[in-house]
Amino acid sequence: MIRAVRADRDIAVPGCADVVIVGAGAAGLMCAISAGRAAEVMGVRKRIVVLDGAGKVGVKILVAGGGRCNVTHERVIPKDYNGSSAGSIKKVLSRFGVEDTVRFFRELGVELKREETGKLFPVTDDAHTVLDALLGAVRDAGATIHHPCKVRAVEDDGEGGFVVRGDWGEIRAGKVVLATGGKALPKSGSDGSGYPIVEALGHTVTGVIAPALVPLVIEGEHFVKGLSGIAHDARVEVRASTGKRLASTTGALLCTHFGLSGPAILDISRHLTWARVEDEGAYLTIGFVHDRGEDELDAALSGLGKRTVGRFVRELLPERLADALCVDVGVDPSTKGAELKREARRALVLALTGLRVPVARDRGYTHAEVTMGGVPMREVDPSTMGSRVRAGLYLIGEILDVDGRIGGFNFQWAWAGGMIAGRACVGVD
Ligand SMILES: Cc1cc2nc3c(=O)[nH]c(=O)nc-3n(C[C@H](O)[C@H](O)[C@H](O)COP(=O)(O)OP(=O)(O)OC[C@H]3O[C@@H](n4cnc5c(N)ncnc54)[C@H](O)[C@@H]3O)c2cc1C
């Protein structure tokens, strides 16, 4: 259950601040802590104000990792991310890495544990531990969070600073940090309203902005939809209409009533979307069997003799999946190996190693964990997260064109950017 988290909801937004951070998600909260702490170390007073449009702050942190919050991953490298150039991603990650994240949370009293997959979770297995610690640290750092305060515009104040406006009023700011996220899970407050704001300040956003880490929908009848709840390790690939392999991932796949989900599908989803931008015929294949080659399977099927095809396939896959897959390619599972025609054998081998699935679309932002696309990283200095377009402006987190694979990588991106921008916006690099 999501507990309502109230920050400084009832305190009026002041008329001016040194730093206004728009968005109190992972990146914005980290930025507020970092800025407040850096100012204290320098012995200067800085008024740091965080504004968030949502009624509840930190909803995404609370729902993350099934309510346990997968804070980061034991090993994070640029290859874990898509979108922008590996070079700029590397620079950001090298300034605040996994060890820094672990230490940061430990100092807040949040001990992290490593799971078999390399994902790091709080030992409490409760995302509230993470959010409560962050909100406490924001307060300790002397920053205030005001919500619901949706920002409608950030404009030049004509004196080198900014005016940040919304229905709640306006605030003048020397520096502005945009941490408005993308469009994933819009009910959390991340509704894409940061994009027009940043564009009005002179930035661009990528031509493609789309859901990523998102389940995939198969329209109409398909045997996979009748197997809801069945999970199996599979190799999933995106292929161009020519058949050329464009992307591949291996991991757990989950059959659902609408189509496909599970980590392997979530990870591949952005690659299918991206491929279809230029090639409508790009498609997805599933190798339910990925540890044996086509020739090996063909030979094994050829040598079955009196054993049935169904029995053989059931040794490789969950029973219902095995039978449904056989039926889908027109092979009765009770067929004896010796009776299996060459063409049917070939079709079965292909279905086992690279079944083409008619994915119609993704499940949209409501079911997506992250957004692909955003402000290109080339418009930001990775050593400060400062805008190269407008001095005094900083961009962090998911508003940028960087999306990570599943496993804690997106939070690591948000923590790192937030920490860097927080220091920089109060004058510490
Ligand atoms: C269901 C789900 C599970 C996830 N699980 C994980 C996980 O376990 N591990 C992981 O690494 N990642 C996970 N993610 C991804 C991760 O949550 C995001 O990548 C990360 O939260 C992005 O942080 P952010 O601060 O950039 O943006 P967000 O967290 O989206 O925060 C943006 C904030 O800005 C506010 N805002 C937006 N526009 C305005 C405006 N105009 N005015 C004022 N405020 C505004 C929003 O209300 C929001 O609070 C998950 C995502 C989802 C949806």
Side-chain angles (χ1 to χ4, degrees), residues 359-397:
V359 172
R361 57 188 166 81
D362 64 58
R363 251 193 136 198
Y365 286 113
T366 309
H367 298 277
E369 290 201 7
V370 72
T371 308
M372 67 184 269
V375 178
M377 262 307 283
R378 65 170 181 277
E379 297 182 10
V380 169
D381 175 355
S383 59
T384 60
M385 306 309 281
S387 161
R388 295 190 199 272
V389 174
R390 169 65 163 91
L393 179 69
Y394 299 79
L395 305 175
I396 52 174

Short mmCIF file of all heavy atoms in Angstrom, two decimals, residues 359-397:
data_model
loop_
_atom_site.label_atom_id
_atom_site.label_comp_id
_atom_site.label_asym_id
_atom_site.label_seq_id
_atom_site.Cartn_x
_atom_site.Cartn_y
_atom_site.Cartn_z
N VAL A 359 3.60 -8.53 -32.23
CA VAL A 359 3.39 -7.45 -31.25
C VAL A 359 2.76 -6.26 -31.95
O VAL A 359 3.27 -5.77 -32.96
CB VAL A 359 4.74 -7.03 -30.61
CG1 VAL A 359 4.56 -5.79 -29.74
CG2 VAL A 359 5.32 -8.17 -29.80
N ALA A 360 1.62 -5.81 -31.42
CA ALA A 360 0.92 -4.68 -32.04
C ALA A 360 1.46 -3.35 -31.53
O ALA A 360 1.64 -2.40 -32.28
CB ALA A 360 -0.57 -4.78 -31.74
N ARG A 361 1.71 -3.31 -30.24
CA ARG A 361 2.13 -2.03 -29.63
C ARG A 361 2.64 -2.29 -28.21
O ARG A 361 2.54 -3.43 -27.73
CB ARG A 361 0.94 -1.06 -29.58
CG ARG A 361 -0.25 -1.61 -28.85
CD ARG A 361 -1.50 -0.73 -28.97
NE ARG A 361 -2.67 -1.46 -28.54
CZ ARG A 361 -3.05 -1.64 -27.30
NH1 ARG A 361 -2.35 -1.10 -26.32
NH2 ARG A 361 -4.12 -2.33 -26.97
N ASP A 362 3.12 -1.22 -27.58
CA ASP A 362 3.48 -1.39 -26.18
C ASP A 362 2.27 -1.01 -25.32
O ASP A 362 1.25 -0.56 -25.83
CB ASP A 362 4.72 -0.56 -25.81
CG ASP A 362 4.48 0.93 -25.96
OD1 ASP A 362 3.57 1.44 -25.30
OD2 ASP A 362 5.20 1.58 -26.73
N ARG A 363 2.40 -1.18 -24.01
CA ARG A 363 1.24 -0.96 -23.13
C ARG A 363 1.10 0.47 -22.66
O ARG A 363 0.23 0.77 -21.84
CB ARG A 363 1.34 -1.88 -21.92
CG ARG A 363 0.29 -2.96 -22.01
CD ARG A 363 0.15 -3.68 -20.70
NE ARG A 363 -1.24 -3.89 -20.36
CZ ARG A 363 -1.69 -4.18 -19.16
NH1 ARG A 363 -0.85 -4.27 -18.16
NH2 ARG A 363 -2.97 -4.38 -18.95
N GLY A 364 1.94 1.35 -23.17
CA GLY A 364 1.78 2.77 -22.89
C GLY A 364 2.42 3.23 -21.59
O GLY A 364 2.90 2.43 -20.78
N TYR A 365 2.39 4.54 -21.41
CA TYR A 365 3.09 5.16 -20.27
C TYR A 365 2.56 4.69 -18.91
O TYR A 365 3.31 4.65 -17.93
CB TYR A 365 2.98 6.68 -20.35
CG TYR A 365 3.86 7.27 -21.43
CD1 TYR A 365 3.31 7.89 -22.56
CD2 TYR A 365 5.25 7.20 -21.34
CE1 TYR A 365 4.12 8.43 -23.54
CE2 TYR A 365 6.06 7.73 -22.32
CZ TYR A 365 5.49 8.35 -23.42
OH TYR A 365 6.29 8.87 -24.40
N THR A 366 1.28 4.36 -18.84
CA THR A 366 0.71 3.95 -17.56
C THR A 366 1.41 2.70 -17.02
O THR A 366 1.50 2.50 -15.82
CB THR A 366 -0.80 3.65 -17.74
OG1 THR A 366 -1.36 4.77 -18.40
CG2 THR A 366 -1.50 3.45 -16.42
N HIS A 367 1.88 1.87 -17.94
CA HIS A 367 2.53 0.62 -17.52
C HIS A 367 4.04 0.64 -17.76
O HIS A 367 4.70 -0.38 -17.57
CB HIS A 367 1.90 -0.55 -18.27
CG HIS A 367 0.44 -0.72 -17.99
ND1 HIS A 367 -0.03 -1.39 -16.88
CD2 HIS A 367 -0.65 -0.24 -18.63
CE1 HIS A 367 -1.35 -1.34 -16.87
NE2 HIS A 367 -1.76 -0.65 -17.91
N ALA A 368 4.56 1.78 -18.19
CA ALA A 368 6.00 1.86 -18.48
C ALA A 368 6.76 2.26 -17.23
O ALA A 368 6.24 2.98 -16.37
CB ALA A 368 6.26 2.88 -19.58
N GLU A 369 8.00 1.80 -17.11
CA GLU A 369 8.83 2.20 -15.96
C GLU A 369 9.67 3.42 -16.28
O GLU A 369 10.17 4.09 -15.38
CB GLU A 369 9.74 1.05 -15.52
CG GLU A 369 8.95 -0.08 -14.89
CD GLU A 369 9.79 -0.99 -14.02
OE1 GLU A 369 10.98 -0.69 -13.78
OE2 GLU A 369 9.25 -2.01 -13.59
N VAL A 370 9.85 3.70 -17.56
CA VAL A 370 10.75 4.80 -17.89
C VAL A 370 10.38 5.34 -19.29
O VAL A 370 9.58 4.73 -20.00
CB VAL A 370 12.23 4.30 -17.78
CG1 VAL A 370 12.62 3.37 -18.88
CG2 VAL A 370 13.22 5.42 -17.64
N THR A 371 10.97 6.49 -19.62
CA THR A 371 10.70 7.13 -20.91
C THR A 371 11.96 7.12 -21.74
O THR A 371 13.03 7.47 -21.23
CB THR A 371 10.28 8.60 -20.69
OG1 THR A 371 9.22 8.63 -19.75
CG2 THR A 371 9.85 9.26 -21.98
N MET A 372 11.87 6.72 -23.01
CA MET A 372 13.04 6.86 -23.88
C MET A 372 12.95 8.20 -24.59
O MET A 372 11.87 8.67 -24.92
CB MET A 372 13.13 5.70 -24.88
CG MET A 372 12.06 5.63 -25.92
SD MET A 372 12.23 4.15 -26.97
CE MET A 372 13.24 4.78 -28.28
N GLY A 373 14.11 8.83 -24.77
CA GLY A 373 14.14 10.15 -25.39
C GLY A 373 14.08 11.23 -24.33
O GLY A 373 13.92 10.96 -23.14
N GLY A 374 14.20 12.48 -24.79
CA GLY A 374 14.20 13.62 -23.87
C GLY A 374 15.20 14.66 -24.36
O GLY A 374 15.52 14.70 -25.56
N VAL A 375 15.70 15.45 -23.45
CA VAL A 375 16.67 16.48 -23.84
C VAL A 375 18.01 15.78 -24.12
O VAL A 375 18.51 15.03 -23.27
CB VAL A 375 16.86 17.52 -22.71
CG1 VAL A 375 17.92 18.54 -23.11
CG2 VAL A 375 15.54 18.20 -22.39
N PRO A 376 18.60 15.99 -25.30
CA PRO A 376 19.87 15.31 -25.61
C PRO A 376 20.97 15.70 -24.62
O PRO A 376 21.14 16.88 -24.31
CB PRO A 376 20.21 15.83 -27.02
CG PRO A 376 18.94 16.36 -27.57
CD PRO A 376 18.13 16.83 -26.41
N MET A 377 21.68 14.70 -24.15
CA MET A 377 22.78 14.94 -23.19
C MET A 377 23.81 15.92 -23.74
O MET A 377 24.51 16.58 -22.97
CB MET A 377 23.47 13.62 -22.83
CG MET A 377 23.03 12.98 -21.53
SD MET A 377 23.12 14.06 -20.09
CE MET A 377 24.86 14.08 -19.73
N ARG A 378 23.94 15.98 -25.07
CA ARG A 378 24.94 16.90 -25.64
C ARG A 378 24.62 18.36 -25.30
O ARG A 378 25.48 19.23 -25.40
CB ARG A 378 25.08 16.70 -27.15
CG ARG A 378 23.87 17.06 -27.93
CD ARG A 378 24.08 17.10 -29.46
NE ARG A 378 22.86 17.48 -30.10
CZ ARG A 378 21.86 16.66 -30.39
NH1 ARG A 378 21.96 15.38 -30.13
NH2 ARG A 378 20.75 17.10 -30.95
N GLU A 379 23.38 18.62 -24.87
CA GLU A 379 23.01 19.99 -24.51
C GLU A 379 23.30 20.31 -23.04
O GLU A 379 22.96 21.36 -22.53
CB GLU A 379 21.51 20.23 -24.82
CG GLU A 379 21.21 20.11 -26.32
CD GLU A 379 19.76 20.39 -26.68
OE1 GLU A 379 19.00 20.86 -25.83
OE2 GLU A 379 19.41 20.12 -27.85
N VAL A 380 23.93 19.31 -22.37
CA VAL A 380 24.23 19.45 -20.93
C VAL A 380 25.70 19.14 -20.70
O VAL A 380 26.27 18.24 -21.32
CB VAL A 380 23.34 18.46 -20.14
CG1 VAL A 380 23.77 18.36 -18.69
CG2 VAL A 380 21.88 18.87 -20.22
N ASP A 381 26.34 19.88 -19.80
CA ASP A 381 27.72 19.60 -19.43
C ASP A 381 27.71 18.48 -18.38
O ASP A 381 27.23 18.69 -17.26
CB ASP A 381 28.35 20.88 -18.85
CG ASP A 381 29.76 20.65 -18.32
OD1 ASP A 381 30.21 19.49 -18.31
OD2 ASP A 381 30.40 21.64 -17.91
N PRO A 382 28.24 17.30 -18.71
CA PRO A 382 28.13 16.17 -17.78
C PRO A 382 28.91 16.36 -16.48
O PRO A 382 28.69 15.64 -15.52
CB PRO A 382 28.67 14.98 -18.58
CG PRO A 382 29.46 15.56 -19.68
CD PRO A 382 28.92 16.92 -19.96
N SER A 383 29.81 17.34 -16.44
CA SER A 383 30.55 17.51 -15.19
C SER A 383 29.78 18.35 -14.18
O SER A 383 30.12 18.38 -12.99
CB SER A 383 31.94 18.10 -15.44
OG SER A 383 31.80 19.33 -16.08
N THR A 384 28.73 19.04 -14.64
CA THR A 384 27.91 19.85 -13.71
C THR A 384 26.41 19.60 -13.87
O THR A 384 25.63 20.02 -13.03
CB THR A 384 28.13 21.35 -13.97
OG1 THR A 384 27.74 21.64 -15.32
CG2 THR A 384 29.58 21.76 -13.75
N MET A 385 26.01 18.97 -14.97
CA MET A 385 24.61 18.82 -15.40
C MET A 385 24.03 20.20 -15.77
O MET A 385 22.81 20.36 -15.89
CB MET A 385 23.72 18.14 -14.35
CG MET A 385 24.22 16.79 -13.86
SD MET A 385 24.62 15.64 -15.21
CE MET A 385 23.01 15.05 -15.70
N GLY A 386 24.91 21.16 -15.96
CA GLY A 386 24.46 22.50 -16.34
C GLY A 386 24.12 22.55 -17.82
O GLY A 386 24.74 21.90 -18.66
N SER A 387 23.11 23.35 -18.12
CA SER A 387 22.68 23.53 -19.51
C SER A 387 23.77 24.23 -20.31
O SER A 387 24.40 25.16 -19.82
CB SER A 387 21.41 24.38 -19.51
OG SER A 387 21.20 24.93 -20.79
N ARG A 388 23.99 23.77 -21.52
CA ARG A 388 24.91 24.48 -22.43
C ARG A 388 24.16 25.56 -23.19
O ARG A 388 24.73 26.27 -23.99
CB ARG A 388 25.51 23.48 -23.44
CG ARG A 388 26.40 22.39 -22.83
CD ARG A 388 27.10 21.66 -23.96
NE ARG A 388 27.61 20.35 -23.57
CZ ARG A 388 28.81 20.13 -23.04
NH1 ARG A 388 29.60 21.14 -22.81
NH2 ARG A 388 29.19 18.91 -22.74
N VAL A 389 22.85 25.64 -22.96
CA VAL A 389 22.01 26.57 -23.70
C VAL A 389 21.70 27.82 -22.86
O VAL A 389 21.70 28.93 -23.37
CB VAL A 389 20.68 25.86 -24.12
CG1 VAL A 389 19.71 26.84 -24.75
CG2 VAL A 389 20.98 24.69 -25.05
N ARG A 390 21.44 27.61 -21.58
CA ARG A 390 21.04 28.71 -20.71
C ARG A 390 21.81 28.61 -19.39
O ARG A 390 21.64 27.64 -18.64
CB ARG A 390 19.52 28.63 -20.48
CG ARG A 390 18.96 29.54 -19.40
CD ARG A 390 19.11 31.03 -19.77
NE ARG A 390 18.24 31.87 -18.96
CZ ARG A 390 18.59 32.43 -17.80
NH1 ARG A 390 19.80 32.22 -17.29
NH2 ARG A 390 17.75 33.21 -17.15
N ALA A 391 22.64 29.62 -19.13
CA ALA A 391 23.41 29.61 -17.88
C ALA A 391 22.46 29.64 -16.69
O ALA A 391 21.41 30.30 -16.73
CB ALA A 391 24.33 30.83 -17.85
N GLY A 392 22.82 28.91 -15.65
CA GLY A 392 21.99 28.90 -14.43
C GLY A 392 20.93 27.82 -14.43
O GLY A 392 20.24 27.62 -13.43
N LEU A 393 20.78 27.11 -15.55
CA LEU A 393 19.79 26.03 -15.66
C LEU A 393 20.51 24.68 -15.60
O LEU A 393 21.58 24.52 -16.19
CB LEU A 393 19.03 26.16 -16.98
CG LEU A 393 17.97 25.10 -17.28
CD1 LEU A 393 16.78 25.25 -16.33
CD2 LEU A 393 17.49 25.20 -18.73
N TYR A 394 19.91 23.72 -14.91
CA TYR A 394 20.48 22.37 -14.77
C TYR A 394 19.40 21.35 -15.11
O TYR A 394 18.22 21.58 -14.79
CB TYR A 394 20.99 22.13 -13.34
CG TYR A 394 22.09 23.10 -12.96
CD1 TYR A 394 21.78 24.40 -12.57
CD2 TYR A 394 23.42 22.72 -13.03
CE1 TYR A 394 22.79 25.31 -12.24
CE2 TYR A 394 24.44 23.62 -12.69
CZ TYR A 394 24.11 24.90 -12.31
OH TYR A 394 25.11 25.80 -11.99
N LEU A 395 19.80 20.26 -15.72
CA LEU A 395 18.85 19.21 -16.09
C LEU A 395 19.33 17.87 -15.56
O LEU A 395 20.50 17.50 -15.77
CB LEU A 395 18.71 19.12 -17.63
CG LEU A 395 18.34 20.41 -18.35
CD1 LEU A 395 18.38 20.20 -19.85
CD2 LEU A 395 16.97 20.87 -17.92
N ILE A 396 18.45 17.14 -14.89
CA ILE A 396 18.87 15.86 -14.29
C ILE A 396 17.77 14.81 -14.40
O ILE A 396 16.59 15.13 -14.54
CB ILE A 396 19.23 16.04 -12.79
CG1 ILE A 396 18.10 16.75 -12.02
CG2 ILE A 396 20.53 16.80 -12.65
CD1 ILE A 396 18.35 16.82 -10.51
N GLY A 397 18.18 13.56 -14.34
CA GLY A 397 17.23 12.44 -14.29
C GLY A 397 16.63 12.11 -15.64
O GLY A 397 17.25 12.26 -16.70
#
